[in-house]
Structures are given as structure tokens and as C-alpha cells.
């Protein structure tokens, strides 16, 4: 079997960490190695084997529709394929939609993402990663009637997604993988970001989904009676607004606007006062359209995104960022800069001029130190953690009680879960010189720096 990225990262236990070494610990370490390195790879290979098998069945059915149909009608092939999908869904105890999704994933990945598919075949990338990358490939696909230049651009952009995801799949957790993929896809999408945002904005709506035990989701799990009451209040207010004014918005859009206004407390004394950081490149404020999106997919734009450079964090600086969440379109960024007192605007270049060392010899970090760390990290500093730095605790790497200073060189944002683990368990959180945080398990596993983006 080929060695996986995880296997390569297994190292001998550091002697300081095995001071309490016991038989149980060795057992746990050995068992974890087995589970992760062997079972996981076998499961991944099995998932690919199954998806490819399903595609084969469908391809064979297309050639021989008579397996499923009677007579010789012109639409026999369609009926036969639908019947094959149904057959598969019954055998696999899953929905027909799920079978179709699997076929689409496997077909697209084999055709457009050969590197990632190869990783999945060797067991090094779980199917969930392939699913996410296929979503990006489908979004970047050339539309019907595209010019030759547009088709070439779509092919190059997809190849870039393939190279990046094949590399990231080796080390990133799924959430971090998805987030990077989303950022890269947005940078590669030739439609201008404003246009895409306007398109997305038109779809805004409030969805109430039934859950079990008398509960419902409005992306907050609440009792169904309250969910119904919320929706009714939104609907009647929306109806009222539609009657009152010459409304251009649909009822769905009004419901969504009301919900966000109510929750943000717009027009009330309790309106949102927390800080949302938005970094805005200077060029955007002058009204320039920067980033690949603005170049409408021109060759010059793609040249800036060749691998190596594409995955360089510097290129991300010419996009406006909602810190910890990813890029936002220039229109929204400019708007945030102009109004909304709840947004903390930071112009990206001057950020480098922020005073780094603010040793006050006090335990509590200052507001400026916190702001600086939030901007610098965006998320919790631990490898692969995507929780927001804004909500994180500032951890003294060298403890205050042991003489650690309260300055940004000794502070790092750790989400509450990581912060507690760093103090209450034998898991070590080691800051690297560039301030990312490596995790060292007592069982020998170490995280690696996610590849640069
Ligand atoms: Zn964390």
C-alpha cells in the first residue's frame, strides 16, 4: 500500500511527552495508526470502486437499453437509464437523487479532475473531497455557446482546481478544504463578483425546515410552534410592506430582509455593536475592479493564478475579505466601508504598519493587540481549525504565570475548544516561527502546516 500523508507525519514520540508512558497509551497509538492509515484508505478506495462500478452499469445500460425496456421506442435509452438508477437506489437503499449525484460526481471527476480522482482511487482522498471539487468544476464549466477562448479558459481554470485540490486533499480537514476551494473558485469564476453577488442576492429567502421531536430549523433549532410563528410574522409584515410601498422585491426577498434586520436590531437601541472586520484593498476604494473576476477571464488574469503564485497568500490581498470568512465582492466591500458602523474597516496596506510589540506587562491583551491578532490569523491559529479568531481566546504561549509576556509575539488566538485542550490535556500546541500552531498528540501524531493559499 502507498504511504499516506498521515503515515508520513507519524513520528517517534518526543521523550518529554512520554513521561507517563503506559501500556494503554501504546495500545491507543497503535490502534489509531491502524484505523486512520489502513481502514480510511480502504474505505476511500472502496467508495471510488463503487462509484466507477455504478458508472459502468449506466454506460452498459445506454448501449443495451433492452436490459430494462420492452419494444423499440426512440426514448428507450432514457427509460432504461432511469430504470437502472432506480434499480441501484433500491439495492443501495438510497434515493435515486443520491445515485444520480454519485454518477455525476464520478463522471465529472474522471473527465475534469484526473489528479484528484487518482488520489481518491489510491485511497488518499475521501469522496467528500471529490464532491466539493466537482461542485467547483461544474461552476467553472464553459456555458453552452461559449467562444473558443472561454472554453480554453474554463479548461485551464478546472485544471487549476484539480492541481490545488489534489494537493490540499492530502492534509486539510474537510471544512478548511472547502473554504479554500470556495475562495479559489471565486477567484477563477469569470463572471464579475458584483454580478454573481447580485444573482445570489436575488435568491434570498427564509426557509423553515422540519426536524424531529417537534423542532424546526431556521438555521437555529427552535420549537416548531415558534418557527411557524416567526414565519407568520415575517409573512404578514412582508405582505404589509408590499401593500404600503411600490415594492420591487418579491415576498421571499422581503421576508429575508426583515429577518436579518430584526436579528441585527436595525433601528433599535440594541442594534449590532460587535465588530465585523472587513479588509479593503486601497484600489477598491478608488473604484477599480481588481482580482481575476474583474478581468473577465482574460489570459492576463489567469497568468497571475498559475500554481505557486496562485496559492500564494499575497495574491489574496487584492480581494476584499470578510476576515475569517473569505472574499466578498467589491460592491459589498465598498458599501461596508462607506456606512455600517458595525464594520471595522481596515485598508490592507497600512495593516503592515500596525505596531507589533505592545508589551504593557499586563495580563489582559489590549484592544489593539486583539484586533491585530484577529486580522493576522482570521481563524483559530491551530492547523486546520476554521473557527473565527474574532470569537477566539487569546492564549499566552508561554504562560503568564511562567513569565510569558502579553505581546503579540507570545499571544495566539485559539478557539475555546483548542484553548481548553491546550491547558487541560497532554496535547501540545506549538507555535511555529510564522505563528501557525502545530498540534502534537501524546500518541505521536503531528499536524502539518496547511499548504499555502
Ligand atoms: Zn481551533
Amino acid at each position: 500500500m502507498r504511504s499516506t500523508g498521515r503515515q508520513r507525519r507519524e513520528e517517534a514520540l518526543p521523550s518529554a511527552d512520554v513521561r507517563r508512558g503506559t501500556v494503554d497509551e501504546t495500545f491507543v497509538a497503535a490502534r489509531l495508526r491502524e484505523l486512520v492509515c489502513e481502514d480510511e484508505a480502504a474505505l476511500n478506495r472502496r467508495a471510488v470502486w463503487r462509484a466507477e462500478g455504478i458508472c459502468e452499469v449506466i454506460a452498459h445500460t445506454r448501449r443495451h437499453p433492452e436490459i430494462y425496456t420492452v419494444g423499440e421506442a426512440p426514448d428507450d435509452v432514457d427509460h432504461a437509464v432511469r430504470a437502472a438508477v432506480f434499480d441501484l437506489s433500491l439495492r443501495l437503499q438510497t434515493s435515486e437523487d443520491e445515485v444520480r449525484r454519485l454518477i455525476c460526481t464520478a463522471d465529472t471527476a474522471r473527465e475534469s479532475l484526473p489528479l484528484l480522482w487518482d488520489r481518491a482511487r489510491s485511497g488518499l482522498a475521501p469522496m467528500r473531497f471529490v464532491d466539493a471539487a466537482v461542485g467547483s468544476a461544474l461552476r467553472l464549466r464553459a456555458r453552452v455557446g461559449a467562444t473558443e477562448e472561454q472554453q480554453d479558459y474554463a479548461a485551464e481554470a478546472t485544471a487549476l482546481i484539480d492541481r490545488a485540490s489534489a494537493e490540499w486533499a492530502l492534509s486539510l480537514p474537510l471544512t478548511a478544504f472547502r473554504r479554500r476551494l470556495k475562495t479559489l473558485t471565486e477567484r477563477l469564476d469569470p463572471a464579475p463578483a458584483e454580478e454573481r453577488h447580485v444573482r445570489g442576492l436575488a435568491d434570498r429567502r427564509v426557509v423553515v425546515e422540519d426536524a424531529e421531536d417537534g423542532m424546526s430549523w431556521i438555521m437555529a433549532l427552535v420549537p416548531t410552534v415558534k418557527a411557524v410563528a416567526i414565519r407568520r410574522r415575517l409573512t404578514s409584515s412582508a405582505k404589509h410592506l408590499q401593500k404600503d410601498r411600490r415594492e420591487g422585491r418579491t415576498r421571499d426577498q422581503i421576508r429575508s430582509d426583515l429577518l436579518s434586520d430584526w436579528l441585527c436590531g436595525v433601528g433599535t437601541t440594541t442594534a449590532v455593536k460587535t465588530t465585523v472586520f472587513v479588509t479593503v484593498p486601497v484600489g477598491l476604494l478608488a473604484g477599480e475592479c481588481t482580482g481575476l473576476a474583474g478581468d473577465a477571464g482574460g489570459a492576463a488574469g489567469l497568468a497571475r493564478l498559475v500554481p505557486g503564485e496562485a496559492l500564494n497568500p499575497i495574491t489574496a490581498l487584492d480581494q476584499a475579505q470578510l476576515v475569517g470568512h473569505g472574499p466578498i465582492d467589491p460592491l459589498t466591500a465598498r458599501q461596508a466601508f462607506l456606512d455600517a458602523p458595525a464594520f471595522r474597516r481596515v485598508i490592507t496596506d497600512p495593516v503592515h504598519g500596525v505596531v507589533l510589540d505592545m508589551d504593557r506587562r499586563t495580563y489582559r491583551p489590549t484592544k489593539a493587540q486583539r484586533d491585530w491578532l484577529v486580522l493576522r490569523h482570521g481563524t483559530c491559529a491551530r492547523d486546520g481549525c476554521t473557527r473565527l479568531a474574532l470569537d477566539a481566546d487569546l492564549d499566552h504561549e508561554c504562560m503568564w504565570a511562567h513569565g510569558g509576556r502579553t505581546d503579540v509575539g507570545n499571544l495566539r488566538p485559539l478557539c475555546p475548544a483548542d484553548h481548553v485542550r491546550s491547558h487541560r490535556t497532554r496535547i501540545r500546541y506549538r507555535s511555529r516561527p510564522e505563528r501557525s500552531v502545530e498540534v502534537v498528540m501524546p500518541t505521536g501524531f503531528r499536524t502539518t502546516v496547511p499548504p499555502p493559499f
Side-chain angles (χ1 to χ4, degrees), residues 380 382 385 387 415 418:
C380 167
R382 190 258 294 170
C385 186
R387 291 189 191 90
C415 67
D418 279 313

Side-chain angles (χ1 to χ4, degrees), residues 124-367:
L124 300 181
M127 210 49 155
R128 294 187 303 271
F129 288 66
V130 180
D131 276 337
V134 161
S136 296
L138 291 176
R139 176 169 154 185
L140 295 171
R141 199 168 44 171
R143 303 282 170 258
V144 178
T147 63
E148 203 173 307
E149 196 192 352
Q150 286 168 331
Q151 286 176 18
D152 287 349
Y153 176 80
E156 280 182 66
T158 309
L160 226 128
I161 292 282
D162 190 24
R163 285 203 291 279
S165 48
E167 181 191 329
W168 297 337
L170 291 181
S171 56
L172 292 183
L174 186 62
T175 44
F177 177 85
R178 282 202 181 121
R179 181 166 293 183
R180 282 189 179 201
L181 199 60
K182 177 170 170 260
T183 306
L184 182 60
T185 311
E186 269 167 25
R187 280 157 62 187
L188 290 170
D189 194 327
E194 279 109 330
E195 189 186 305
R196 282 184 279 126
H197 181 64
V198 167
R199 223 188 301 145
L201 194 63
D203 283 341
R204 66 196 187 278
R205 62 189 172 275
V206 176
V207 179
V208 178
E209 222 169 69
D210 285 342
E212 282 164 23
D213 304 326
M215 303 295 281
S216 289
W217 284 103
I218 315 183
M219 276 311 130
L221 186 62
V222 299
T224 301
V225 280
K226 291 207 171 164
V228 171
I230 291 168
R231 197 177 158 88
R232 285 187 71 94
R233 185 175 173 217
L234 285 169
T235 303
S236 66
S237 304
K239 270 189 195 163
H240 201 68
L241 276 173
Q242 271 185 317
K243 235 183 277 166
D244 264 14
R245 302 183 207 161
R246 299 188 68 80
E247 269 295 342
R249 296 177 293 174
T250 64
R251 191 167 297 170
D252 262 337
Q253 292 171 338
I254 300 177
R255 269 197 290 253
S256 158
D257 293 345
L258 285 171
L259 183 81
S260 45
D261 284 355
W262 289 350
L263 288 177
C264 292
V266 173
T268 70
T269 48
T270 54
V272 168
K273 289 196 182 68
T274 51
T275 306
V276 177
F277 286 100
V278 180
T279 63
V280 185
V282 184
L284 273 187
L285 293 172
E288 290 167 29
C289 218
T290 58
L292 183 67
D295 296 338
L302 193 65
R304 291 173 32 235
L305 281 162
V306 291
E309 195 189 346
L311 310 178
N312 183 322
I314 300 302
T315 48
L317 287 179
D318 63 4
Q319 280 179 309
Q321 305 270 339
L322 190 54
V323 174
H325 290 281
I328 53 174
D329 70 286
L331 195 70
T332 307
R334 273 200 293 273
Q335 197 61 39
F337 197 88
L338 290 176
D339 49 37
F343 290 100
R344 172 65 57 93
R345 286 92 40 149
V346 178
I347 304 173
T348 26
D349 260 348
V351 163
H352 302 297
V354 170
V355 181
L356 270 177
D357 200 355
M358 309 221 298
D359 180 16
R360 300 285 173 87
R361 294 309 273 168
T362 56
Y363 176 71
R364 284 185 70 78
T366 64
K367 176 84 171 62

Side-chain angles (χ1 to χ4, degrees), residues 433-445:
E434 88 293 359
R435 307 308 296 155
S436 61
V437 172
E438 173 192 38
V439 173
V440 184
M441 289 291 164
T443 51
F445 179 82

Side-chain angles (χ1 to χ4, degrees), residues 5-192:
R6 288 188 174 89
Q7 270 178 312
R8 285 194 297 275
R9 275 179 277 136
E10 288 291 341
E11 286 174 25
L13 297 178
S15 57
D17 283 345
V18 288
R19 64 198 186 284
R20 298 190 314 183
T22 64
V23 174
D24 281 338
E25 209 168 74
T26 319
F27 167 78
V28 170
R31 196 77 187 103
L32 281 175
R33 260 197 303 276
E34 271 170 33
L35 284 174
V36 173
C37 300
E38 285 168 31
D39 289 5
E40 191 186 67
L43 283 174
N44 294 341
R45 279 197 297 271
R46 186 100 188 135
V48 171
W49 176 82
R50 176 186 260 195
E52 287 189 330
I54 289 174
C55 290
E56 256 171 58
V57 167
I58 298 297
H60 194 77
T61 305
R62 276 186 198 288
R63 286 192 299 274
H64 301 283
E66 68 273 15
I67 299 169
Y68 285 103
T69 51
V70 287
E72 300 218 338
D75 56 356
D76 266 2
V77 174
D78 287 345
H79 282 293
V81 168
R82 258 178 258 154
V85 167
F86 181 55
D87 190 347
L88 283 159
S89 76
L90 294 182
R91 287 166 186 269
L92 300 173
Q93 292 177 284
T94 182
S95 68
E96 290 168 68
D97 278 346
E98 180 60 23
V99 175
R100 270 186 227 104
R101 198 189 54 76
L102 206 65
I103 295 167
C104 170
T105 300
D107 279 344
T108 313
R110 280 198 295 188
E111 195 187 305
S112 314
L113 306 168
L115 298 176
L116 180 65
W117 191 244
D118 198 48
R119 286 258 197 271
R121 279 185 128 174
S122 344
L124 300 181
M127 210 49 155
R128 294 187 303 271
F129 288 66
V130 180
D131 276 337
V134 161
S136 296
L138 291 176
R139 176 169 154 185
L140 295 171
R141 199 168 44 171
R143 303 282 170 258
V144 178
T147 63
E148 203 173 307
E149 196 192 352
Q150 286 168 331
Q151 286 176 18
D152 287 349
Y153 176 80
E156 280 182 66
T158 309
L160 226 128
I161 292 282
D162 190 24
R163 285 203 291 279
S165 48
E167 181 191 329
W168 297 337
L170 291 181
S171 56
L172 292 183
L174 186 62
T175 44
F177 177 85
R178 282 202 181 121
R179 181 166 293 183
R180 282 189 179 201
L181 199 60
K182 177 170 170 260
T183 306
L184 182 60
T185 311
E186 269 167 25
R187 280 157 62 187
L188 290 170
D189 194 327

